Amino acid sequence: MTLSFILRLATCLLTILLVPVSCKKNEEKKRLAAESQIKPSDFLSAEKYQTLMVDFVYDAGHPPSADAVANLKKFLNARLNKPGGVQMIVKEITASGKDRLSITEVQHIESKTRSYFSQGSILGVFIYYANSEFAGNSGGNNVPALKYGNTSLVLFGKTISTYPIALGKPTFAIIETAIVEHEFCHLLGLVDGGTPMLVAHKDAGNKEHCSNVNCLMHHMIETTEFIANLVGSNVPELDSNCLADLKNNGGK
Ligand SMILES: [Zn+2]
Ligand SMILES: [Zn+2]
């Protein structure tokens, strides 16, 4: 064997080994880029997509409460025109083992674990319940959840688990429900975040939130202090202005 033959052989082997990896990466990138074209009205109306597939993944050993998953499904069925139904697929994944996660790290986990993308009549959405906190937390402001893509949400379980649970206060399932429903409503374009407002009701100081303190879309839902205003087992509901906006953009 000559040196050039060995070199050619090595190049060939390298190509065979690397091409499938780079193809797979390109495919993932393409699929995630396609998700960035999804609009709030695609969730709300049945015009483009008739079925919603919710890909709900969680770090091993830290599942969302069954009640929160069931409540979210009920909430989505009540608001979205999806004649093909809303499917919830709850799946355990290997935990990252990281106390804090950046959005880039969350996106990397999504690219490895997301099973359902939007195609044909099916709209896919990815929810990652991470046993971590947001690496971008600062000044005591701990973010419990984020919409980081047009069909992607992350819930930070390490932060949610610090919410105070006491007698007469909501249960953990109620807190999780409020947070995941609130965050999902950002995907639905509330408030003035892709779903137009029929009447002005956005909170001037808090982007894409409702000015009504009793509404699910009030910004306080994303802070630990909101627990102080909640009693018992009621998840805050959308007020009439938020409901009217969703209906006007194709929802129920
Ligand atoms: Zn919010
Ligand atoms: Zn509202």
Side-chain angles (χ1 to χ4, degrees), residues 75-150:
F75 177 81
L76 296 175
N77 272 316
R79 300 276 71 87
L80 312 182
N81 272 305
K82 292 294 164 223
V86 173
Q87 311 276 337
M88 308 282 289
I89 313 290
V90 183
K91 187 179 80 181
E92 179 182 292
I93 61 167
T94 308
S96 71
K98 290 183 175 172
D99 282 340
R100 294 164 76 83
L101 285 177
S102 68
I103 288 305
T104 308
E105 287 169 317
V106 169
Q107 283 168 327
H108 180 65
I109 291 165
E110 177 179 8
S111 73
K112 288 194 301 183
T113 59
R114 180 166 178 166
S115 308
Y116 302 99
F117 293 85
S118 305
Q119 55 179 343
S121 64
I122 297 171
L123 175 61
V125 62
F126 179 78
I127 304 177
Y128 173 34
Y129 197 47
N131 183 34
S132 310
E133 58 174 25
F134 179 42
N137 286 340
S138 65
N141 176 30
N142 293 336
V143 172
L146 274 176
K147 168 201 158 193
Y148 65 94
N150 287 8

Side-chain angles (χ1 to χ4, degrees), residues 191 201 210 212 215 217 238-239 241-242:
V191 174
H201 65 105
C210 184
N212 182 349
C215 178
M217 286 318 283
L238 290 172
D239 69 352
N241 284 328
C242 285

Side-chain angles (χ1 to χ4, degrees), residues 186-222:
H186 283 310
L187 293 178
L188 304 183
L190 291 178
V191 174
D192 200 26
T195 284
M197 286 188 295
L198 287 174
V199 296
H201 65 105
K202 71 174 165 188
D203 180 343
N206 294 283
K207 211 171 158 256
E208 296 177 5
H209 289 104
C210 184
S211 54
N212 182 349
V213 72
N214 295 315
C215 178
L216 174 68
M217 286 318 283
H218 194 262
H219 77 96
M220 288 294 279
I221 300 281
E222 287 172 317

